[in-house]
Structure formats: C-alpha cells, structure tokens
Amino acid sequence: MERRKFLAASFAASALALRADEKGREHYELRRYQLEAGAQRKLTESYLHQALAPALNRLGIGPVGVFSVSIGLESAALYVLMPCLSVETLVGARFRLEQDEEYLKAGAAFINAPASQPAYQRVESSLLVAFEGWPKLTPPRATSEHRSRVFELRTYESPSDQDHKRKVEMFHSGEFDIFDKAGFWQIFYGDMLIGSRLPNLTYMLGFENMIEREKKWDAFRSAPAWKKLSASPKFAYESIVSNVDNVILTPTSYSQI
C-alpha cells in the first residue's frame, strides 16, 4: 500500500514538474486499446462502459470520451479520452481505482482476464496539456442532444522543438478563429508531454457527418485568413510539420463526448 502511494505521489510530482505555468489548463490522458475483433472488443467495451468511465467520473475526471475507429489503420482499436484539471488526479487515478470496490466489481471480468484469453492486445497512453488559448475541452451540443456526430483526431509531428513551438503558436495566431468561422466543432487542443513520436501536438474536431466534414475543410482551406497565416514568413520559411496522423472516430453509445 505504501509503495503504491509513493509511486502515485512520485508520478504526480514528475508530471507537475514538467510545466509550472499550467494553472487553469486541463490535462488529458489519451489511451488507445489495441484489440482483436470479437470477444476482446465486447469485454473491453463492457469494462469501459460499466467500470472505468463511472469510476473516473467519481474521481472528478470527465467527460470521458470513448471512440471507435471509423477510418484509420486499426479499425478494432478503441480510443479513450480522459480530461481533468488536476494532473495529480489524472496521473494517480490508476492507484485510486485499485481501492474502488465498485470499480473492481464492475470490471472484474476485464481486470481478471486470464493470459490465455487476454482482454486486449496492448494499451498505449499519452499525457497532454491543453493549449493556453484553448484551456478546456469543449463537448459539442450534439453530445448532450444525443445526435449523430463524428470526430477527427489529428496529430502533428514536428522535426524539432522549435518547429513544434511555432506550430503551437500558429494556432494562437489565428487558426482557432479560422476553424470557428469555417464551422468546425473544436473539441480540444493538447501539447504532448509524455508519449511517442515527440515533439507533437494533438487536437480533435467534430462534425455532424462526413459530408459536413468535407464542406468545413473546403471552407477552411479557401479562407483568406488561412492563406495569409499559412504564407506568413514566420511559419512558412521551413516545414514545421514533418508528419500528420489523422484518424476518424465515432463515439460509442456511452461516450460522454
């Protein structure tokens, strides 16, 4: 027990030490469950719906988004987005869940799955901090109204830290407003602190459907403000994005986003 408390405190302190100027900005854990179709997906979905999401909510983490991959390399994967203002709560959630009897009971089949029939293949997790200019996740109205919606999760990798910083600055220099005028639902923007393929940033946009997505991207690309911003010598004198990873996600029936 003491070891768990020590580890939780150590992880939280390490995360807090990464940035000292994040007051008022949310942190996000973005988790991807790599699955095989069939029994694994059914078991993991049940766990996320009945055990993990409610337990995270009890800790003050939420709204919890759970998404299936509609267009992407791993169609069987599930993405889970966990926002929280307190990085200490977010990083220490694993250890607190181990003491949550309701969670342990609801998730028993997943948690205790035998090695011969594992609940998943692998789990990847990243820790992000919200952009200063977009400090909190914004669920679309379609979520509360239980309307259909799709999301686009975009990750921009940069060749260096300086290029990465300039790409983040580009959003703060007008890109938020261009997305807004084009009609996008802007869900969150996160600077990755811990994860793979650093340095990079990840953000999520939302739409009613794929037809609306195409219309909004056309409006974005043709906007005079975007053409001016993207041609600015400050951002265009060299390539500040070396790779773009793009996944189209559909929320599960129990997703809170």
Side-chain angles (χ1 to χ4, degrees):
M1 180 65 69
E2 291 304 317
R3 179 177 178 273
R4 290 174 181 171
K5 289 181 179 179
F6 170 78
L7 289 173
S10 297
F11 288 147
S14 297
L16 283 167
L18 290 171
R19 297 285 178 90
D21 60 346
E22 297 162 6
K23 190 173 182 180
R25 295 155 65 185
E26 287 184 325
H27 288 76
Y28 309 112
E29 182 183 350
L30 181 61
R31 191 178 296 178
R32 182 175 64 84
Y33 288 85
Q34 181 181 339
L35 307 167
E36 289 184 354
Q40 278 193 346
R41 184 180 179 94
K42 183 177 180 180
L43 180 58
T44 300
E45 286 237 46
S46 177
Y47 162 74
L48 296 175
H49 183 196
Q50 303 295 336
L52 183 62
L56 291 174
N57 290 163
R58 290 194 293 274
L59 294 176
I61 298 171
V64 177
V66 183
F67 311 93
S68 299
V69 177
S70 297
I71 302 175
L73 295 177
E74 296 186 5
S75 59
L78 286 168
Y79 282 77
V80 182
L81 178 61
M82 295 168 273
C84 189
L85 192 58
S86 166
V87 66
E88 182 176 5
T89 297
L90 191 61
V91 174
R94 170 187 170 187
F95 303 100
R96 295 181 66 183
L97 291 178
E98 291 177 355
Q99 309 305 314
D100 186 328
E101 293 184 4
E102 187 175 347
Y103 161 79
L104 295 174
K105 181 178 179 181
F110 177 93
I111 296 167
N112 301 317
S116 59
Q117 294 179 303
Y120 53 85
Q121 296 301 303
R122 282 291 182 271
V123 179
E124 294 182 359
S125 182
S126 303
L127 177 66
L128 304 96
V129 61
F131 281 13
E132 185 176 353
W134 202 277
K136 294 185 179 181
L137 182 146
T138 308
R141 182 179 298 178
T143 298
S144 61
E145 295 176 350
H146 306 289
R147 292 190 282 114
S148 63
R149 56 207 187 278
V150 296
F151 297 97
E152 185 168 2
L153 188 69
R154 298 175 66 84
T155 297
Y156 292 173
E157 302 170 28
S158 292
S160 71
D161 285 333
Q162 292 303 314
D163 291 326
H164 168 73
K165 290 176 182 178
R166 285 211 305 280
K167 182 56 192 173
V168 173
E169 184 181 353
M170 194 174 182
F171 282 94
H172 292 83
S173 299
E175 201 162 345
F176 295 137
D177 293 335
I178 301 169
F179 275 123
D180 184 58
K181 290 177 181 178
F184 287 82
W185 301 338
Q186 299 179 79
I187 312 304
F188 83 91
Y189 295 86
D191 193 348
M192 189 170 292
L193 301 177
I194 301 173
S196 62
R197 310 195 321 260
L198 294 171
N200 68 64
L201 63 89
T202 295
Y203 67 102
M204 178 179 278
L205 305 170
F207 320 89
E208 293 179 15
N209 51 53
M210 292 298 288
I211 295 175
E212 285 298 312
R213 172 184 177 271
E214 295 304 318
K215 291 179 179 178
K216 290 174 181 178
W217 273 117
D218 286 343
F220 178 91
R221 286 187 288 263
S222 62
W226 170 245
K227 292 180 180 179
K228 181 179 179 180
L229 180 64
S230 60
S232 167
K234 185 173 186 178
F235 304 119
Y237 79 90
E238 67 178 2
S239 178
I240 57 177
V241 175
S242 54
N243 186 57
V244 177
D245 187 32
N246 191 28
V247 183
I248 302 298
L249 303 173
T250 302
T252 62
S253 61
Y254 52 90
S255 178
Q256 299 168 6
I257 298 174

